[in-house]
Structure formats: structure tokens, C-alpha cells
């Protein structure tokens, strides 16, 4: 059984729990650590997870809304931390007290009941990796912080039943919104963040390949509205807008079966 739960998503911080269970064993992965320690501990506890029981942390890239409290949580609870070599270099950290593990684009990671497949994405960070997780049955894709979805990235998500997918902005709201022009260009560019329409296009391509559930994530507070993201995704998935989950900055989501 594979399930997942956002503990918060957006430019103020991202963290997602992925939990696999088979028979008597269970594996818990924490993807990104972009919250304060207290908030992370509290939201994990609300999800029924003690951080001491997290088997590994996977950091997608070095931006502060993803790295957050990874250093202190890893050390405090002695949790191995996976990231790309480029992300590690950008952080100018030693080896996290021996807890550092280097993830490589295309090299699967086996973690108890979970298999993790990291893959490279176009984003303005050193070497960002997003990921696909499976317990051998269900497949979950996690895809945020990318400017566009090139075919190799789309191919990584083929066959995923669930995807936590960035729906960062509505192009019109970004264009007419309060950001200075350089930031508009960065966010809306090919190496920035995914627009609702681009997310919907990916969903449209993945729906015939088995995609059934989408969690819209990393929504911009200034340049998007949950209703717009829901509408875009629902149109592409062929479901009602209410069936599309939105990962809230403060609340995340409940547990969802992948
Ligand atoms: Zn981010
Ligand atoms: Zn980022």
C-alpha cells in the first residue's frame, strides 16, 4: 500500500510524506524539508508520523523552500539525506555528519518497501531532481519546481496513478500581477515554475496512461487561485474540479492513496 500526504506546499515551504506498507514492514520517506523544525514536527505528528520514524529525506534542490530545516532534522533524528551532487555542492555543506547520500538522475534508490526513481527537471537550481515512487504496485509522481515539462520528464510519469503536480501560476494573473518584470520573466520562463496550462497539458498526456489523481501543488499566493488550478487540471483529467486536491501552504493535504 502506497500513500502520501503534503505537509505544506508553496513558496513558503514544501514537505511531503510518502509511506509504503507491505505486511509487517513500513517505510516512510520525507520529500523536502522546507518548513521550520517545529512546524514540520507538528504537521508530521498530525499525520501520525514521528520524525524519528522517517527512514530517509529526499531533497529535490537547494532552494530554501525545499531545504528548510533538513540539516537540523537529519542530525537530530539521524536520518539519511538524499540529494544530487549539484544540490549538495550548492549547499556548501560537509557530509551532514555522514548522513549524506548522493542521488543520481536515472539511478533507482531502494528504501525498504519503496523504490524511488529520481529524474532531472528544468529549473533554475544547480541540479534539481524530482521523483517517482512505487511500492511495486502503485506509482506516485512528485513534480514541482520546473519551468516546463519536456518529453523525458513526461515519460518518467507514464503509468503513475497519482501525481503531486506543480500548478504555480495562472499566466494571466502573473502577467498582470504585482511581481517586478524580472521576477515575472523568471517565474514564467522555461526554467522557472509551471503554469496551470502547462500542468494541464501534462495531465492530458498522462491521463490515458493511467493517471487518476492529481494534487495541485506549489500554488503561488499572488499569481494563482485554487479554483483556477482545479479547473485547469479537472478539464484535462476529465473529472469534476472538486475531485482535484490542492496542497495548501499551511494545511497540506490529508493522506491520499497513491
Ligand atoms: Zn519551490
Ligand atoms: Zn525551486
Amino acid at each position: 500500500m502506497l500513500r502520501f500526504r503534503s505537509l505544506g506546499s508553496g513558496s513558503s515551504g514544501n514537505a511531503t510524506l510518502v509511506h509504503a506498507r507491505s505486511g509487517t514492514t513500513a517505510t516512510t520517506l520525507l520529500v523536502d524539508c522546507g518548513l521550520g523544525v517545529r512546524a514540520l514536527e507538528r504537521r508530521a505528528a498530525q499525520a501520525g508520523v514521528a520524525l524519528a520514524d522517517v527512514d530517509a529525506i529526499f531533497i529535490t534542490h537547494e532552494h530554501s523552500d525545499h531545504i528548510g530545516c533538513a540539516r537540523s532534522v537529519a542530525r537530530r533524528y539521524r536520518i539519511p539525506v538524499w540529494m544530487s551532487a549539484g544540490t549538495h555542492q550548492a549547499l556548501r555543506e560537509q557530509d551532514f555528519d555522514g548522513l549524506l547520500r548522493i542521488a543520481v538522475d536515472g539511478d533507482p534508490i531502494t528504501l525498504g518497501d519503496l523504490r524511488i526513481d529520481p529524474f532531472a527537471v528544468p529549473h533554475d537550481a544547480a541540479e534539481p531532481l524530482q521523483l517517482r515512487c512505487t511500492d511495486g504496485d502503485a506509482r506516485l509522481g512528485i513534480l514541482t519546481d520546473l519551468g516546463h515539462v519536456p518529453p523525458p520528464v513526461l515519460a518518467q510519469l507514464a503509468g503513475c496513478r497519482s501525481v503531486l503536480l506543480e500548478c504555480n501560476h495562472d499566466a494571466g494573473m502573473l502577467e498582470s500581477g504585482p511581481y517586478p518584470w524580472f521576477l515575472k520573466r523568471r517565474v514564467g520562463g522555461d526554467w522557472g515554475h509551471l503554469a496551470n496550462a502547462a500542468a494541464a497539458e501534462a495531465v492530458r498526456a498522462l491521463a490515458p496512461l493511467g493517471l487518476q489523481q492529481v494534487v495541485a501543488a506549489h500554488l503561488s499566493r499572488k499569481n494563482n487561485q485554487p479554483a483556477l488550478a482545479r479547473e485547469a487540471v479537472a478539464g484535462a483529467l476529465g473529472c469534476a474540479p472538486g475531485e482535484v486536491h490542492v496542497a495548501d501552504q499551511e494545511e497540506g493535504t490529508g493522506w491520499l492513496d497513491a
Side-chain angles (χ1 to χ4, degrees):
M1 192 190 70
L2 184 67
R3 42 184 210 146
F4 65 108
R5 174 172 177 143
S6 166
L7 299 181
S9 183
S11 56
S12 300
N14 296 272
T16 306
L17 286 169
V18 179
H19 183 81
R21 178 180 291 281
S22 72
T24 54
T25 61
T27 307
T28 305
L29 172 71
L30 175 60
V31 179
D32 286 326
C33 244
L35 305 169
V37 181
R38 290 253 174 87
L40 184 66
E41 283 173 338
R42 191 183 64 243
R43 294 184 201 180
Q46 281 165 358
V49 171
L51 292 185
D53 295 333
V54 170
D55 297 287
I57 297 170
F58 186 100
I59 299 295
T60 58
H61 62 299
E62 69 274 20
H63 290 162
S64 60
D65 56 319
H66 298 265
I67 186 75
C69 63
R71 296 172 182 87
S72 40
V73 167
R75 289 194 177 106
R76 184 177 302 177
Y77 296 100
R78 304 300 303 166
I79 306 171
V81 194
W82 290 84
M83 65 185 71
S84 71
T87 298
H88 174 231
Q89 235 162 36
L91 288 172
R92 298 174 189 280
E93 274 280 329
Q94 294 294 314
D95 66 347
F96 287 78
D97 288 349
L99 295 162
L100 175 70
R101 308 284 185 272
I102 296 297
V104 177
D105 174 21
D107 283 5
I109 298 165
T110 303
L111 185 75
D113 300 311
L114 263 182
R115 175 181 148 139
I116 302 157
D117 287 277
F119 55 87
V121 293
H123 186 52
D124 52 4
E127 191 191 349
L129 295 174
Q130 296 290 324
L131 59 157
R132 192 176 71 234
C133 302
T134 182
D135 62 349
D137 176 23
R139 276 192 195 190
L140 162 70
I142 296 183
L143 186 66
T144 71
D145 296 74
L146 73 170
H148 65 288
V149 186
V153 169
L154 202 58
Q156 290 287 346
L157 300 180
C160 284
R161 204 151 64 194
S162 302
V163 174
L164 182 130
L165 178 64
E166 171 161 56
C167 293
N168 179 260
H169 57 273
D170 170 79
M173 282 185 75
L174 177 66
E175 186 58 37
S176 61
Y179 279 13
W181 70 270
F182 70 88
L183 203 52
K184 287 183 182 181
R185 224 169 57 171
R186 202 217 116 197
V187 168
D190 267 2
W191 295 75
H193 289 277
L194 208 59
N196 291 345
E201 203 178 307
V203 170
R204 199 166 284 118
L206 293 170
L209 306 176
L211 180 63
Q212 293 177 12
Q213 174 171 252
V214 175
V215 176
H218 216 303
L219 269 71
S220 166
R221 276 186 173 144
K222 296 215 164 79
N223 304 311
N224 208 355
Q225 286 169 2
L228 291 175
R230 279 200 173 96
E231 204 177 299
V233 169
L237 195 57
C239 67
E243 293 174 59
V244 177
H245 303 273
V246 174
D248 182 76
Q249 180 68 78
E250 308 303 329
E251 306 290 331
T253 60
W255 280 108
L256 298 164
D257 289 330

